[in-house]
Amino acid sequence: MPSEPSADEPGASSSARARSKAPRGWERALLSVGLWAAGLALAGLVSIVTIAGVALAVAYPNLPDISDLSDYRPKLPLRVYSADGMLIGEFGEERRNLTPIAQIPKVMKDAVLAIEDSRFYSHGGVDYRGLIRAALANLGRVKSQGASTITMQVARNVYLSSEKTFTRKLYEVLLTFKLEHLLSKDQILEIYMNQIYLGNRAYGFAAAADTYFGKAMKDLTVAEAAMLAGLPKSPSSNNPIANPERARTRQLYIIDRMLENDFITPEQAEAARKQELKIRSGVDNTRVHAEYVAETVRQLVYAQYGDEAYTRGLNVFTTVSAVQQDAAYRALRKGIMDYERRQIYRGPEEFLDLPAAAQDLEDAIDDALAEHPDNGDVMSAVVLEATPKKILAVRQSGEKLEITGEGLRPAQSGLSDKAPPKIRIRRGAVVRVVKTAKGAWEITQLPEVEGAFVALDPRDGAIHAMIGGFDFNKNKFNHVTQAWRQPGSAFKPFIYSAALEKGFTPSTVVNDAPLFFDAGVTGGQPWEPKNYDSKFEGPMPLHTALAKSKNMVSIRILQAVGTQNAQDWISRFGFDAEKHPPYLTMALGAGSVTPMQMATAYSVFANGGYRINPWLITKITDQRGKTLVESQPPLPNESARAIDARNAFIMSRLLQEITRAGTAARAQRELKRVDLYGKTGTTNDSIDTWFAGYQPTLAAVVWMGYDTPRSLGDRETGGGLSLPIWISFMETALKGVPVMEPSAPEGVVNAGGEWYYEEYARGGGVASLGGGLSDNGAPAVPAAPRAPEDKSLMNSDGLPPSRAPSPSEERRSILDLFRN
C-alpha cells in the first residue's frame, strides 16, 4: 500500500499540510515558559523601578541638609601662639589647618587626583567608566585606583557612617548627586583636602604636611606630595611613621599614576623616586617648649567657651616671647641637670634579658626603649657592655655609643663590682645619656628634683616666659602658679621695705648677734635662730646686712617694725596675709608663696611702686582671623600704687648692692651690666632655693626643690642653684637691651653714696647733717667712714667681713632696740 505523501510533497492534501504546521507539544511548552519568563522579568523590572522610586521618594527628603557645606567649617583645634607668632600648643581631637583651594599647591592636588579620582573634573559625581574599570580589575585581580570618586568620599566622610550596607550606599550615591548640584568642583575638592583623616591625629593635607614632614603644604615636593596622597586609603597602616615600607610602595605607585596622567614629566618622576624623605617622628626638639603656658591658656579658654574651644578653630595669642621661653627652658633644664650630676646614682630604670639573635635583640631594644622615651636631651639607651672604664650602649635608632672617662663619673658607683644589684650597670640595663658641650657622651639619670621659672614685664605684668617644671609629660603640676613654698631669705626685702617706712635708712646700724626666744615668747618650743654660716659679725649697716642676708638683723628689724605692721605691709605686694602669720619667723621667709607671687611682688620694686597683675592672653581670633577678644593691661596709675616711689627706689639700690657685692655678686660680674637687682633665698636645711630679681624691663624668679620637701644638700643655696639659671636666662633675654637705671624720684637725696628719704636726711633718721647741699638741693648727709677692703679677710662667700661701726654710725643706730 503506497504511503501518504509528506506535507512538503506536491501531492499532499491540505489537511496534511495543516497538521504538519501545528506546534508540537515541546514547542508549546517552551513558548509558554518564555512568555512567563518575560512577564516575570518585566514585573521584576517594574517592581525594582517601583521600589527604587519609593526608596528615592522616602530617602531623598531624609538626606541631611548639605547647604552648610557651601560655608565649610570643619572641626578645628584650639591653637596657642607666642607673641611672635610661633605655635606653642594645640588642643582638640582633630589637628587641622583649614586651607582654601586657591592656596593648596598644584602638586598636592595632582597627587590626590592621580590616585583617588583622575576624572574628577569631567564626571558628574559617579564615574561610570571608573566603576566598569574597577569591576574588571577586581575580576582580573589587577591593582586599581578604586571606584569611589572624591565627591562620593566627601559624602561618606562628612555625613555617613562606615558601615557597608545597601542603604548606606544608596544614601552615598544620592548625596553625591546632591553635592555635585549644590557645590562647584573646587568647593568639593577643598572640602576633601581639608576633611580627610591622614593618621596621627592629622586631618587634611596641610596638617599632614606638618605632622610627617614638619613643613608647610606649599613647600612640598613631588615625592612628599605622593607620600601624603597615599594616606587616605589606610592612614593608620600606610603612614611613613607606622610602616615606612608600605608607605614607600604606595608612594612609588602614585608617582607612576601622576606620570600616566601627565601631571609630571618623566624627569620629575625619576627625581621623585630618588628623593630621600626626612620623616618627622617622635619628639620635635626644634619647637618652642611652652607646654605649661599652653595648658594654662587651655584652661582659661575652656572656662570661657566650654567644649567648643576644641572645635571652633580659635587662635589664642599670648604675651610669651618664643626666644625668652626657649632660653628659660634651656636654662632651667641645665640647672637641674647640673644639680643631678652631684647626686648619688640611683641605678638603671630597667633591666632586660637580651637575646642572642640579632633580630630578636633589635626587637627587644625597640620595645624597651619605647617604654622609656627620650626626655628632650636626656636620652634613653640599652647597655650592651659595661666595665668600670667603659660602657657600650645602643639607642633606639640603632646608633651605638661609647662612654668613657669623665662621662662615667656621674654613675661611677653603679660600675663597681660591689654595687647592689638594683644599682649596678650591666648588659641589658636601660640607662640615660646626654651629649656634653664637647660632643662626648655622658651617663646620667632623670632628675627627681623639680624647678620653676617665670619672667614677666614689671611695667605691665605681661608674662614673657613660664616653665612650670622639668618636664610637662612627666609632671603636669605647674610649680609657677600651684607650688606654695617657703621663700626663705628672698622674702627679706619686703621686711626691709616696711622698715624704711618706720625711719630706717640704708645706713642704720643693727647688731648681727645671737638671739634666743624661750617657750614663753614663742608659745611653743624655744627658738634660737642662726645665720646660714652660723657666724655673727656684730653691728653693721642695713645695706650690708641685706647684701649678706643676715638672719639676726632681719629678725631685729621685724621686731622693731612689728609683726602685725609687717603682715599688713607685705599684702601691698600681693601676698596672702593669712599665709604669713604675724610671727618673727616671717623675717626669714617662713610663710608660703608661689613663684608667680614672687615675680609680681618684685615687680613693685622694679616699676617704681605699682601693683601689677600678671596676664597672658592678648587676643583670641576665630578660624578666619576675626578678633573675638582683645585685651590690653591697664597702665600703672596712682590707684594701683602699692608703695611710695621713694621706697621702691631705695629698695632697688639695696637689691642692686646684692648683685654687685652680695650673695648674688656673680650676676653683675657675669652679665657685665649694673642694672640688675635681686635677692637669693635658701630655706632651713636647704629645702628650697630661690633667686628673685629684675632688670627694669624684666623680672624673673627661679625656684628649685623636691615636690615632697627634703634637703637639697647641706651646701646647696639659692646663690649656687637658682642664681645660675637666672643668669643664663638673662644672658639671652637682655641681649641688645640698653642698660637703664631708675632715676631718683622726688623726695630722696644722696649723701655719701647712700640714698635717704629727704625728711630723714634732714635729721629724722641720721645723727648729723653737713653744711653742703647734694645735687638735688637737699642737705648733704656725711658719708659713713668705711674701712678699706681687705681681700685676705674675705669669708667663704667671697664677701668682706663687717667692721665695727664708727662713733657717728653708733649714734644714729637703733641698736639698743635689738639687744637681748
Side-chain angles (χ1 to χ4, degrees), residues 541-559:
L542 250 68
H543 66 84
T544 301
L546 185 59
K548 291 188 172 186
S549 197
K550 290 294 184 179
N551 290 341
M552 302 303 106
V553 174
S554 295
I555 294 171
R556 286 187 162 95
I557 290 174
L558 182 56
Q559 278 183 311

Side-chain angles (χ1 to χ4, degrees), residues 186-243:
D186 278 350
Q187 286 178 302
I188 294 171
L189 185 59
E190 178 182 302
I191 294 169
Y192 178 83
M193 299 290 281
N194 283 284
Q195 182 72 22
I196 193 74
Y197 176 60
L198 299 171
N200 288 289
R201 289 181 55 233
Y203 286 78
F205 288 93
D210 179 64
T211 298
Y212 296 107
F213 299 116
K215 59 167 59 177
M217 184 166 53
K218 65 182 177 62
D219 299 322
L220 291 174
T221 64
V222 172
E224 291 166 339
M227 178 67 78
L228 296 182
L231 296 176
K233 183 178 180 181
S234 184
S236 297
S237 59
N238 274 3
N239 77 71
I241 295 176
N243 197 324

Side-chain angles (χ1 to χ4, degrees), residues 208-359:
D210 179 64
T211 298
Y212 296 107
F213 299 116
K215 59 167 59 177
M217 184 166 53
K218 65 182 177 62
D219 299 322
L220 291 174
T221 64
V222 172
E224 291 166 339
M227 178 67 78
L228 296 182
L231 296 176
K233 183 178 180 181
S234 184
S236 297
S237 59
N238 274 3
N239 77 71
I241 295 176
N243 197 324
E245 291 184 9
R246 189 179 297 175
R248 170 66 172 166
T249 301
R250 182 105 174 128
Q251 177 212 28
L252 293 176
Y253 174 64
I254 292 172
I255 293 172
D256 290 341
R257 292 285 303 161
M258 294 177 75
L259 181 59
E260 290 173 18
N261 285 278
D262 296 324
F263 291 145
I264 56 175
T265 65
E267 292 76 19
Q268 288 177 306
E270 187 60 27
R273 294 186 190 102
K274 291 181 178 179
Q275 182 183 344
E276 184 176 344
L277 301 186
K278 295 182 179 178
I279 305 301
R280 177 183 179 183
S281 60
V283 177
D284 180 13
N285 292 318
T286 64
R287 66 186 174 89
V288 178
H289 286 276
E291 294 88 350
Y292 291 97
V293 173
E295 173 59 18
T296 301
V297 170
R298 184 197 69 78
Q299 293 176 16
L300 293 172
V301 174
Y302 182 81
Q304 178 71 27
Y305 294 97
D307 291 335
E308 277 193 350
Y310 307 131
T311 60
R312 283 186 60 177
L314 298 176
N315 300 302
V316 184
F317 296 88
T318 68
T319 58
V320 169
S321 159
V323 171
Q324 292 185 23
Q325 180 71 22
D326 183 62
Y329 174 80
R330 288 185 285 105
L332 183 64
R333 282 180 70 94
K334 182 180 184 300
I336 289 177
M337 291 309 297
D338 285 347
Y339 169 79
E340 193 58 47
R341 287 187 184 93
R342 301 193 294 272
Q343 307 312 302
I344 296 173
Y345 187 63
R346 296 183 292 274
E349 296 178 15
E350 187 181 350
F351 294 98
L352 309 176
D353 292 324
L354 296 181
Q359 187 58 51

Side-chain angles (χ1 to χ4, degrees), residues 448-532:
E448 293 182 342
V449 72
E450 273 294 357
F453 183 99
V454 61
L456 52 80
D457 188 331
R459 297 166 296 186
D460 63 9
I463 297 171
H464 284 195
M466 182 169 67
I467 310 292
F470 179 78
D471 177 43
F472 181 77
N473 293 321
K474 171 189 167 191
N475 187 350
K476 293 177 172 55
F477 184 80
N478 190 340
H479 296 83
V480 168
T481 58
Q482 295 176 287
W484 291 92
R485 308 293 294 219
Q486 288 188 345
S489 297
F491 197 74
K492 289 176 181 176
F494 305 106
I495 304 301
Y496 278 64
S497 172
L500 292 180
E501 298 302 308
K502 296 294 183 180
F504 285 71
T505 73
S507 296
T508 300
V509 177
V510 183
N511 194 14
D512 176 33
L515 286 167
F516 178 80
F517 302 92
D518 60 27
V521 174
T522 65
Q525 297 295 320
W527 182 42
E528 186 175 8
K530 297 185 182 300
N531 288 321
Y532 172 75

Side-chain angles (χ1 to χ4, degrees), residues 681-697:
T682 310
T683 61
N684 276 352
D685 299 320
S686 297
I687 288 174
D688 301 273
T689 68
W690 296 80
F691 184 76
Y694 56 89
Q695 188 268 352
T697 64

Side-chain angles (χ1 to χ4, degrees), residues 369 374 379-383 393-396 401 429-433:
L369 296 184
D374 292 346
M379 296 170 276
S380 57
V382 174
V383 174
V394 62
R395 302 251 301 112
Q396 191 170 24
L401 47 97
V430 178
V431 297
R432 293 283 167 173
V433 295

Side-chain angles (χ1 to χ4, degrees), residues 558-636:
L558 182 56
Q559 278 183 311
V561 169
T563 56
Q564 189 60 58
N565 288 334
Q567 186 189 48
D568 294 340
W569 185 259
I570 61 115
S571 66
R572 292 169 175 252
F573 296 85
F575 294 116
D576 299 334
E578 65 273 13
K579 291 187 180 294
H580 300 271
Y583 305 130
L584 290 178
T585 51
M586 188 196 308
L588 308 185
S592 296
V593 300
T594 67
M596 183 66 82
Q597 278 190 334
M598 291 291 279
T600 55
Y602 270 77
S603 293
V604 175
F605 295 140
N607 65 28
Y610 296 98
R611 172 86 174 271
I612 53 102
N613 291 313
W615 63 296
L616 187 58
I617 296 175
T618 60
K619 184 171 64 173
I620 301 177
T621 68
D622 64 13
Q623 61 181 5
R624 301 182 185 279
K626 179 183 176 182
T627 298
L628 303 177
V629 176
E630 192 163 14
S631 59
Q632 291 292 336
L635 294 176

